[in-house]
Every structure is written in C-alpha cells, then in structure tokens.
Amino acid sequence: MIESLNEQLTPIKEQLVQHPLYKNIGSTDDIRQFMKSHVYAVWDFMSLVKKLQLDLTTTSLPWQPPSNNSAARLINEIVWGEETDVDKDGNSVSHFEMYLNAMHQIGADTTGIEGMLLEVQQGNNIFDIIDQAGLPTYVADFLRFTFHIIEEDKIHKIAAVFTFGREDLIPDMFISMIKKMNRDNDQDFDQIIYYFERHIEVDGDSHGPMALQMIKNLCGTDPIKWEEAISASKSALERRIALWDGINLQITQKEKALS
C-alpha cells in the first residue's frame, strides 16, 4: 500500500517542486516575506512530532513498554533529530529555533510567531489564538488543518500529515538561488542556507524513510487506515500548495506595486 500512496501523491508533490514561488523570490525582502509566513509551518510541524511521541511512546508514570516498539523507536529518533539537532556552530537547538535565528539574522519579522508562542505559553486555546492572531488566511487555514488533525486523534493520519508536510520537497534550485543571493549581497544568509540543507539532508537520509516505515507500521493491513492516511497526505500537500500560493501572491503583488 505504501507504493499506492506514493503513486497517488506524486502529481501533487510535483506541483510543489515546480511551484512558481521559488522563481519569484529574487530579493532579500522576498526571502523575509517568505520566512515570515513559512515559519508557522516550521513551528506547527513540531506539534505533529510531539503528538506522535506522546501516543507512540510511554510518557506517563509508572512507565510501561510501548505497544508498538518499532514505531516508538522511529519517533524517538525523529524527535531527537528535530528537537535537539545542532546548528552551524555546533550548538544544540531545535529546527524551529534554528529557523527563528535565521530570521533574526536577515531581519525578517518574527513578531507574529513570537506573539503566538507567548499566547501558547499562557495556556490559551490554539484555535482561539489562530483566530485572533490577524494572520493571512492561507497561514491560518494551514495551522487550523494541522491542529484539527491532531485533535481528531487518529495516529495513522497524524503520521501521514507529519510525513508529507516536510521540507524535503523544497527543490535544490531554491537553495542555490539563496546561495547566489548570499554571494551577491552584503546580507548574510548562512543560517537559512544551513537550515534548509540540514533539514533536507536529515529528511532524505533518515527521517523520510523512517516516517514512511512508521506509516506502514501504523496502518498495517487495515484498508480503511490506508485510505484515511492517503486522504490526509493529499490534504497536507494541498494545504502546503495553498500556503505557497498565498506567499507567492503577496510577493508578486508587492513587486507590481513597486514597478
């Protein structure tokens, strides 16, 4: 069934890889605009990661063995890499914090995401936070989808959204473009370059294959679970396309206004 899942998702993945957003980003301001919206996808991804860890491993006391040892091992390895990786200077840091540091480095606006984190720390309801944050519709819809999936509490669907909401679909040409901008401008992009290269390296070499194996473990031979996992994966990719569409429109409209 994993072959069928990959086959059905390939056309949608291709839309992401070929999205015009990448070609329309041509300045430091464009990168800042991209990161200002994309950071929410980097952040909510960690809630999917932690939900999987909560459900697949033992996090209560007294401790008991996990019911699915293979899935527990997989998610523990993924959490270790996503939550406590190393940055370009060798410091232990989550991928989200790595991204936030990159935003600070190039002067991208972090007030929105930092305000949301403050609301979360105060214990407010996530859907109320999203509704009241004044986010662009395409960002708010992206976040609502993630947290509705988590709230639905079907672990195989959460694993599917986690697996196909990753950064490994960002094409090499996008990173090459940022590297060129880094060479041609005074602005330093080394932290965001490191983030994307590190994320894609880890996703492709280990986390991606591990996540696919986790879906196989969780769906097993249940056709209903496989159908739901495929549907959730499609929705996750479609939400990412809608996010890219929204960011792309903002960038292109701003360029038209300036011309």
Side-chain angles (χ1 to χ4, degrees):
M1 289 296 293
I2 200 73
E3 293 79 11
S4 175
L5 184 148
N6 277 322
E7 183 179 337
Q8 292 188 53
L9 296 183
T10 295
I12 312 177
K13 288 181 180 180
E14 191 62 24
Q15 288 183 54
L16 276 169
V17 173
Q18 300 296 331
H19 199 283
L21 169 65
Y22 303 118
K23 294 181 180 178
N24 287 330
I25 292 177
S27 69
T28 301
D29 281 343
D30 293 343
I31 291 288
R32 291 181 182 129
Q33 185 66 52
F34 170 81
M35 296 180 76
K36 180 182 176 182
S37 294
H38 177 236
V39 67
Y40 292 95
V42 178
W43 172 70
D44 80 339
F45 175 77
M46 286 306 301
S47 289
L48 293 167
V49 173
K50 299 306 286 186
K51 173 61 174 173
L52 287 168
Q53 186 183 38
L54 287 170
D55 287 1
L56 294 174
T57 67
T58 300
T59 57
S60 60
L61 298 174
W63 178 86
Q64 300 178 67
S67 58
N68 188 326
N69 287 302
S70 296
R73 178 182 174 86
L74 291 170
I75 192 59
N76 276 334
E77 289 193 25
I78 290 170
V79 168
W80 177 76
E82 296 286 346
E83 195 171 39
T84 52
D85 202 357
V86 291
D87 65 14
K88 62 182 292 293
D89 298 316
N91 302 306
S92 296
V93 67
S94 69
H95 282 191
F96 169 73
E97 292 166 299
M98 200 183 295
Y99 195 90
L100 206 60
N101 289 339
M103 291 180 71
H104 289 147
Q105 183 184 45
I106 72 163
D109 183 0
T110 60
T111 55
I113 186 64
E114 289 173 342
M116 179 167 283
L117 287 174
L118 183 61
E119 292 288 329
V120 170
Q121 289 167 11
Q122 293 173 351
N124 297 321
N125 177 272
I126 185 58
F127 293 104
D128 291 339
I129 294 171
I130 295 168
D131 290 343
Q132 297 166 15
L135 297 168
T137 301
Y138 52 86
V139 174
D141 288 347
F142 187 92
L143 291 173
R144 287 191 196 99
F145 170 75
T146 297
F147 288 101
H148 277 306
I149 285 288
I150 291 172
E151 191 176 62
E152 190 179 357
D153 205 23
K154 290 188 174 183
I155 194 66
H156 56 287
K157 292 181 67 173
I158 296 168
V161 172
F162 160 83
T163 300
F164 295 102
R166 308 175 68 83
E167 308 305 337
D168 58 341
L169 290 174
I170 291 178
D172 291 339
M173 58 82 67
F174 181 57
I175 300 174
S176 298
M177 177 270 296
I178 299 177
K179 286 181 177 179
K180 182 178 185 303
M181 290 172 64
N182 191 43
R183 291 192 299 268
D184 295 346
N185 295 280
D186 293 333
Q187 187 70 53
D188 200 343
F189 293 83
D190 64 332
Q191 290 197 43
I192 190 59
I193 291 170
Y194 179 86
Y195 167 84
F196 281 123
E197 289 188 329
R198 180 64 179 157
H199 216 301
I200 293 169
E201 173 191 358
V202 172
D203 285 352
D205 292 346
S206 57
H207 291 180
M210 278 193 277
L212 287 173
Q213 183 61 47
M214 181 168 56
I215 292 176
K216 290 174 68 174
N217 289 344
L218 293 173
C219 291
T221 58
D222 187 329
I224 294 177
K225 286 184 177 180
W226 276 109
E227 184 178 332
E228 289 182 338
I230 291 171
S231 176
S233 299
K234 287 180 178 178
S235 294
L237 290 169
E238 287 165 354
R239 293 291 178 177
R240 177 63 71 122
I241 290 172
L243 179 65
W244 267 202
D245 287 345
I247 298 172
N248 186 54
L249 185 61
Q250 276 211 338
I251 288 172
T252 54
Q253 283 183 337
K254 183 184 68 176
E255 289 174 350
K256 286 180 180 178
L258 294 172
S259 62

